[in-house]
Amino acid sequence: MKIDKENLKNEKKDLYSHLWEHTELPFEVIKKGEKDPSYEFSFGGKDLKTLVGTCIARNFGIEKNPELETFLEKFIMACSGSGDEIQKITTMHSSSLCSLLFFFNVNETHPLEIDGCRYTESVFEFKNKVIGYPSNVDVVLLGKNGEGKNVILFLESKFSEFITGVTKAGKNFEIGKSYFKNEPSASIYKELFDKEILTKKDENHVSSGEQRYIEGIKQMISHYYGVRNFIGGDYYDKENEIQKNVIDYSKENDCKILLGTILFDNLCEKQKEVYLNPYTEDYEKLAEIINRNAVEDGKSNFKMLGKPLKYSDFRNLVSGLPEVEKYYFGNLGRG
């Protein structure tokens, strides 16, 4: 079926139009929401994660794939985060769905190479201890670097959030005041204020002199806070089997810890210029600050990736899943 973009508002309309206006989707989708509608996959029984996972596997041609069992296992994992993950992952522009479809099949047979590291295992919605609620990292990749040392990459996935979630110039954005008082976040925010990237308005609000994806900056700082706790042995849940496997891996073979983000970049030129490029620049500035903070605190086994990863650079991961590749990149074949 085709999407009726006229049901959508503002930037979401441009995003859906760019990706799916001329695509005949091989499955049913329905409009959800009234004030700011989106589209989601159509099926029943949302209380049963395995049923929803099976429907999504069928939609994207994974139902008869030898890796179906792995997909369903990782799907349940991806729906284990804080909040209504089952609702989020069924939305067409879901960032958690995108990361799941790209990374569920990373293994010894299908390894992933990034910056000289070879990853052979993926985990979804990993929880790190921060202040209050845990930090839920979309994807965690386990592998080894060129020296044979263990490497763990904590990766935040973004599909449209840096487009639809920007904070307008001068508008206040709420941040828990504890992040301004506790290290390592306090020093990082102070440098962001000193560099006039953000302005502190009061004890729990910031703003910016220009439109900015502040939520993304805040989230990466929270993830750094959580990863620092992880490195220090202060875990959110060390009894959970999935969490324990990652924790155990981090204690072996002089493990290196990396933090980064991956951004969906098959966008129209306007959205690249207005949203993708500015957030990329902000991320790079933040990475410099965080890496300097880690060095000053003696965290030699930690590094934040200096640049965001882009989904287009990992198109090969879904080249064996034609329905997935068509869904995210099918418009690139048109003139």
Side-chain angles (χ1 to χ4, degrees):
M1 67 172 295
K2 288 190 175 182
I3 297 294
D4 181 5
K5 68 176 186 179
E6 299 308 317
N7 283 325
L8 306 174
K9 295 173 60 176
N10 305 324
E11 296 298 339
K12 198 178 293 182
K13 179 187 289 188
D14 290 343
L15 179 69
Y16 276 65
S17 176
H18 176 72
L19 288 172
W20 301 304
E21 181 178 13
H22 302 287
T23 299
E24 188 71 39
L25 297 173
F27 44 78
E28 291 293 317
V29 295
I30 56 174
K31 184 168 74 82
K32 78 169 181 180
E34 295 297 330
K35 185 177 181 180
D36 184 18
S38 299
Y39 277 90
E40 69 176 0
F41 308 114
S42 175
F43 39 73
K46 286 188 179 181
D47 56 323
L48 299 175
K49 291 181 181 178
T50 52
L51 173 61
V52 177
T54 300
C55 290
I56 290 180
R58 181 171 62 247
N59 287 349
F60 288 100
I62 304 171
E63 189 176 35
K64 297 181 180 180
N65 190 291
E67 301 296 335
L68 173 62
E69 185 176 344
T70 298
F71 176 81
L72 294 177
E73 174 189 331
K74 299 293 178 73
F75 176 85
I76 293 173
M77 196 184 297
C79 294
S80 65
S82 302
D84 196 355
E85 298 298 329
I86 198 73
Q87 289 282 352
K88 296 176 184 176
I89 205 168
T90 57
T91 303
M92 286 185 66
H93 60 281
S94 165
S95 59
S96 54
L97 175 66
C98 188
S99 63
L100 175 67
L101 291 170
F102 271 77
F103 296 113
F104 82 91
N105 201 25
V106 173
N107 53 38
E108 289 284 358
T109 307
H110 303 100
L112 171 60
E113 301 280 345
I114 303 176
D115 295 339
C117 297
R118 182 178 185 270
Y119 297 98
T120 56
E121 186 176 352
S122 61
V123 171
F124 296 86
E125 289 296 324
F126 187 88
K127 297 176 177 62
N128 279 319
K129 187 175 181 179
V130 287
I131 300 171
Y133 293 105
S135 148
N136 292 273
V137 184
D138 291 315
V139 189
V140 178
L141 298 173
L142 280 60
K144 296 186 184 298
N145 62 16
E147 299 175 347
K149 305 294 186 182
N150 286 8
V151 177
I152 299 177
L153 171 56
F154 292 89
L155 199 57
E156 177 66 27
S157 172
K158 297 296 182 187
F159 192 97
S160 63
E161 292 91 339
F162 56 89
I163 298 172
T164 59
V166 295
T167 300
K168 293 182 179 180
K171 186 176 180 180
N172 284 359
F173 183 92
E174 184 174 0
I175 294 175
K177 59 185 178 182
S178 295
Y179 284 96
F180 298 144
K181 297 178 180 179
N182 298 343
E183 297 295 350
S185 56
S187 297
I188 295 167
Y189 276 111
K190 182 179 183 304
E191 188 160 349
L192 290 172
F193 300 149
D194 291 344
K195 292 181 180 297
E196 299 183 349
I197 296 172
L198 298 177
T199 300
K200 186 175 182 181
K201 303 299 290 186
D202 55 43
E203 65 177 7
N204 63 340
H205 288 93
V206 301
S207 68
S208 175
E210 55 190 279
Q211 174 179 280
R212 186 164 253 125
Y213 182 43
I214 300 177
E215 173 67 33
I217 296 173
K218 169 195 170 185
Q219 196 168 33
M220 292 310 298
I221 295 173
S222 295
H223 283 328
Y224 175 57
Y225 199 115
V227 169
R228 284 280 297 264
N229 282 337
F230 178 87
I231 293 172
D234 190 4
Y235 308 117
Y236 176 74
D237 183 1
K238 59 184 178 182
E239 301 303 323
N240 176 280
E241 182 178 355
I242 296 168
Q243 298 264 138
K244 186 177 184 302
N245 288 342
V246 177
I247 292 168
D248 290 345
Y249 195 80
S250 72
K251 296 177 180 179
E252 302 170 353
N253 201 14
D254 192 22
C255 188
K256 309 300 180 185
I257 307 295
L258 304 175
L259 172 64
T261 191
I262 182 166
L263 309 178
F264 188 77
D265 58 322
N266 181 16
L267 307 170
C268 65
E269 290 305 314
K270 170 195 166 187
Q271 291 188 330
K272 288 181 181 179
E273 180 180 349
V274 176
Y275 301 103
L276 177 66
N277 294 342
Y279 181 57
T280 296
E281 293 175 5
D282 283 345
Y283 172 92
E284 291 172 358
K285 293 173 184 175
L286 179 62
E288 289 181 5
I289 295 171
I290 285 179
N291 283 330
R292 186 164 55 250
N293 180 277
V295 170
E296 291 172 354
D297 283 357
K299 305 301 181 191
S300 59
N301 64 330
F302 169 85
K303 184 179 180 181
M304 182 166 165
L305 301 184
K307 297 179 180 297
L309 302 178
K310 305 293 177 63
Y311 270 105
S312 63
D313 293 332
F314 299 95
R315 186 172 175 177
N316 64 301
L317 289 178
V318 294
S319 61
L321 299 169
E323 293 299 337
V324 177
E325 185 175 25
K326 179 181 178 182
Y327 185 75
Y328 290 115
F329 300 109
N331 63 334
L332 296 180
R334 299 194 296 267

